[in-house]
Amino acid sequence: MTSDVTEKNILSSAPIGWLMLKYAIPSVIALVVNALYNIVDQIFIGWGVGTLGNSATNVIFPLNMVMMALALLIGDGGAAYLSLELGRGNKDKASKGVNNTFSWLIVVAILFFIVCFVFLKPLTALFGATPDNLEYALTYGRIILFGFPFAMVGCGFCSLIRADGTPQLTMIAMVVGCVSNIILDALFVLRFGWGMEGAAIATVIGQILNFVISMWYIPRFKTIKINISEMKPKFSLLKRISGLGISSFVSQIAVAVVMTVINYYLVHCGAKSEYGSDIPLAAFGIVMKFNTILTSIVTGIGTGSQPIVGYNYGSGDYGRVKNLSVLRQVLPRLSDCFSS
């Protein structure tokens, strides 16, 4: 029995609750660990640099959210395309979609890096940089930008890996990148005293490790094959893929917009208070990092259910799609696990 038939049988016939545990739990763990890493990262910067360091990272954070939005626009869209076409039995279309998703991730990642590198200073001003934290933000941003292409391709490709039926690898890639980042933060920021540069370098190394683990999976795809001959970017496929990933894009962009607006008011209103602009900026950045813990749980369940929904919708089993109620299926299975 071939691997694609095996996966077909699993997604079309296995109990929904079991599938949700298989796909959603690794996604939730990966995103929660990433949220915790962001919090610990802020702690090390606070210890090693201070309030200005924390406020500077909050200035760069919306840029990171835009990067993630683009990665999910293409990555989640490509994953949904893969699931739908496999459900319909169109393996050739699924293969072309995945290969084009990979190539478009690379193209958009390079273009985004160039734009950010050229316009970094005005972008930091847009996102709330103050005269006091501007140099910290530029120092951090100039280094962190070199990790953006790796992070964008790695994040988008993880969506494809999850849809291919190996959600555990996406969890491993995220956890390895985050844990290494935390360890290197302690080493570079506190031990070596490299400040913002050290924090940025640690983040880039973590993103590269995530990328390397994701790329290791390329020859190991179970349902399709990555083929250079099919990687020529096609706008027709990009339009289809982007349409499927637009919801993920909007959810991330919305956070970036909200942070930009709030940063603007914190800078201008904070300047008139006894605290100044940077303390409110730093405090808001820390609060947003804690907020990601809650959102990561919901997002993890959603991304984990995507391959199940996509495959069964593509195969026309709409009743199975309707039965995919997260609270009704996941929570009882979790309670059974704890009670046993």
Side-chain angles (χ1 to χ4, degrees), residues 19-35 72 76 79 155 158-175 178 292-308:
L19 287 172
M20 284 299 297
L21 290 175
K22 172 182 169 64
Y23 282 87
I25 286 182
S27 299
V28 171
I29 292 174
L31 292 176
V32 169
V33 169
N34 186 59
L72 295 179
D76 280 4
C155 176
C158 276
S159 297
L160 296 175
I161 295 173
R162 187 184 304 109
D164 190 57
T166 314
Q168 296 83 359
L169 185 65
T170 65
M171 177 185 69
I172 292 171
M174 185 72 75
V175 170
C178 293
T292 56
I293 295 179
L294 298 176
T295 58
S296 63
I297 296 174
V298 178
T299 303
I301 294 174
T303 56
S305 65
Q306 180 275 319
I308 310 168

Side-chain angles (χ1 to χ4, degrees), residues 58-141:
N58 189 38
V59 169
I60 298 297
F61 194 65
L63 199 60
N64 186 75
M65 297 303 296
V66 175
M67 180 270 293
M68 289 294 295
L70 292 172
L72 295 179
L73 173 70
I74 301 173
D76 280 4
Y81 186 89
L82 170 63
S83 299
L84 285 168
E85 295 303 334
L86 287 177
R88 292 165 179 161
N90 299 327
K91 190 172 181 179
D92 288 340
K93 285 186 176 182
S95 179
K96 291 178 181 177
V98 170
N99 281 279
N100 243 249
T101 298
F102 189 33
S103 60
W104 277 114
L105 280 170
I106 295 172
V107 170
V108 174
I110 293 173
L111 292 175
F112 185 70
F113 167 77
I114 293 173
V115 170
C116 292
F117 191 83
V118 173
F119 298 103
L120 180 60
K121 191 169 183 177
L123 285 172
T124 55
L126 174 66
F127 294 140
T130 67
D132 292 329
N133 70 27
L134 177 60
E135 287 305 316
Y136 290 94
L138 291 176
T139 298
Y140 185 80

Side-chain angles (χ1 to χ4, degrees), residues 222-254:
K222 295 183 291 184
T223 56
I224 57 93
K225 296 295 181 183
I226 298 295
N227 192 339
I228 296 178
S229 63
E230 294 182 347
M231 283 189 184
K232 183 179 179 181
K234 296 181 180 179
F235 284 99
S236 58
L237 277 174
L238 177 63
K239 182 179 178 180
R240 173 67 171 151
I241 290 168
S242 300
L244 293 171
I246 192 66
S247 60
S248 299
F249 174 81
V250 171
S251 66
Q252 296 293 315
I253 282 294

Side-chain angles (χ1 to χ4, degrees), residues 42 45 49-62 120-121 123-142 196 263-264 266-268 271 275-285:
Q42 289 295 298
I45 291 175
V49 181
T51 302
L52 289 177
N54 281 329
S55 66
T57 57
N58 189 38
V59 169
I60 298 297
F61 194 65
L120 180 60
K121 191 169 183 177
L123 285 172
T124 55
L126 174 66
F127 294 140
T130 67
D132 292 329
N133 70 27
L134 177 60
E135 287 305 316
Y136 290 94
L138 291 176
T139 298
Y140 185 80
R142 289 188 185 111
M196 299 300 291
N263 283 355
Y264 173 83
L266 288 175
V267 169
H268 288 272
Y275 301 105
S277 299
D278 291 295
I279 291 178
L281 272 178
F284 175 62

